[in-house]
Amino acid sequence: MNTIRPLAYASYGLLGLPLAMAALPVYVQIPAYYSGQLGLALGLTGWVLFLARLIDTFQDPLLGRWIDRLNGRITLWFCSSAVVLALAFLGLWLPPVPTGNTMYMALWLAAMLIAAYTAHSMLNIAYLTWGARIDSSSMSSDQGLLGAAAWREGAGLFGVILASVIPSWIMSRPAATLNSNLSYYSIAFAAVLLLAVWVLLKFAPAWQRVKNSETAPSWRATWALMKAHQGFRQLLPPYFLNAISVAIPSTLALFFINDRLQAPNYAGVFLASYFIAAAIGLPLWVMAAKKIGVLCAWRWGMLLAILAFCGAATLGAGDIAAYFIVCIAAGLALGADLALPPVLLAKLIRQDSSPASYFGVWTLLGKLALALSGLALPALAALDYQPSSPAGPALAWVYAGVPCAFKLAAFLLLTRIKTEPAGVSS
């Protein structure tokens, strides 16, 4: 059996850092930035997010199908996607539209979101598929998949820590320096992204191509195989419900910190503590998965998240110390959500000739969850919540109570899966 060196795994995992750096602002900070800093109405911001995410959602299976047809010939795919993502990231932070021009601001936001979502999906689906297609001699046990996932998600967590601290620091600086600081940040992001793609293509373990086949099965045949795959069908509902439970707090976190806790100066610290806790928890969940099984470890992670967010629903103005505890507990639970579900999916499909098509459906559900979470903003607007003003209990319950309900439903569905995919120890 060949052994993949840690440096090769690190070369694979590095791309997780800029992908996470892009995902956090797009999903967490951009809504608050446009509605709070740039003056776009909260309800309109929510609908733009929902529609842009909806468009992005349904393109993922098509992108996955396209990647399967490439069969590992992905150099141009990664390079072009990275360039588009870098440009869209810059455009999101620095819209060339005067503040107060509502219609053009909304159209610009929609265009940049669609560009960023598409490029991110192109990179992410191919990246996840690469992890599932690494030389099978290293993937005959949990060790290979968990190792690849740990490097990928560990780098991703470092990326979200950077993305949670740096924009918060930039927003706290004098307004006169805002555009220049955001420009430097966007250029630095582009440099890290392009470097990570180069390292991936040059030093990561090889993408194992489909043997004796130059083309993937037809879309109809692939879809029939996915529909007939019982393990895949069982895994999708709890994954989707769990994704909603994570997406809603991500969309509302800054609103909750600023207006419910009334602690905007702590926003960067709260986000950093959440993701640092996730980084600490990730290797612990990987170790737990090796001992008690991936499914069981994920269930324990869900229970910890439910306890954390039940506590968050009761918090109000000034509860800073209590929210730190919530951030740490929820962050530890996030490590399980990041590392373990992709391992379950990869084990289910490791012998399949069209893995990217499965990941396309997988990311579709994640994106659909994010799209639905955008509706939380117009829902809060209908409940008379306005950004930058003290918030009542409605914000607390939408931010924390609703996700608990989705997480509990996901947990109950996951308990109905009695056995893990072949090759995953339990």
Side-chain angles (χ1 to χ4, degrees), residues 19-40:
L19 287 179
M21 284 183 69
L24 181 74
V26 170
Y27 297 136
V28 178
Q29 293 161 331
I30 289 297
Y33 176 60
Y34 272 77
S35 62
Q37 295 276 343
L38 301 182
L40 196 61

Side-chain angles (χ1 to χ4, degrees), residues 141-281:
S141 68
D142 288 0
Q143 197 73 24
L145 287 176
L146 288 170
W151 278 101
R152 180 182 63 235
E153 303 302 339
L157 286 170
F158 184 63
V160 295
I161 291 168
L162 292 176
S164 63
V165 173
I166 296 174
S168 297
W169 177 82
I170 290 174
M171 297 304 165
S172 70
R173 307 300 295 168
T177 66
L178 180 63
N179 283 357
S180 61
N181 286 333
L182 287 174
S183 297
Y184 295 143
Y185 177 50
S186 299
I187 292 170
F189 165 76
V192 172
L193 175 61
L194 295 174
L195 174 64
V197 167
W198 178 76
V199 169
L200 175 75
L201 295 172
K202 189 170 181 63
F203 300 109
W207 178 310
Q208 183 191 13
R209 296 187 181 184
V210 178
K211 296 180 180 179
N212 302 321
S213 178
E214 289 300 319
T215 59
S218 68
W219 174 249
R220 180 173 296 182
T222 299
W223 183 248
L225 287 173
M226 288 191 288
K227 287 176 63 178
H229 199 308
Q230 182 179 3
F232 183 62
R233 295 200 320 271
Q234 285 184 319
L235 190 58
L236 290 182
Y239 171 73
F240 176 59
L241 294 174
N242 187 69
I244 295 176
S245 76
V246 175
I248 292 175
S250 296
T251 300
L252 300 180
L254 291 181
F255 298 102
F256 182 82
I257 293 167
N258 294 342
D259 300 333
R260 180 61 178 170
L261 299 181
Q262 298 180 29
N265 293 335
Y266 288 88
V269 181
F270 283 139
L271 292 175
S273 66
Y274 175 69
F275 292 115
I276 289 171
I280 294 170

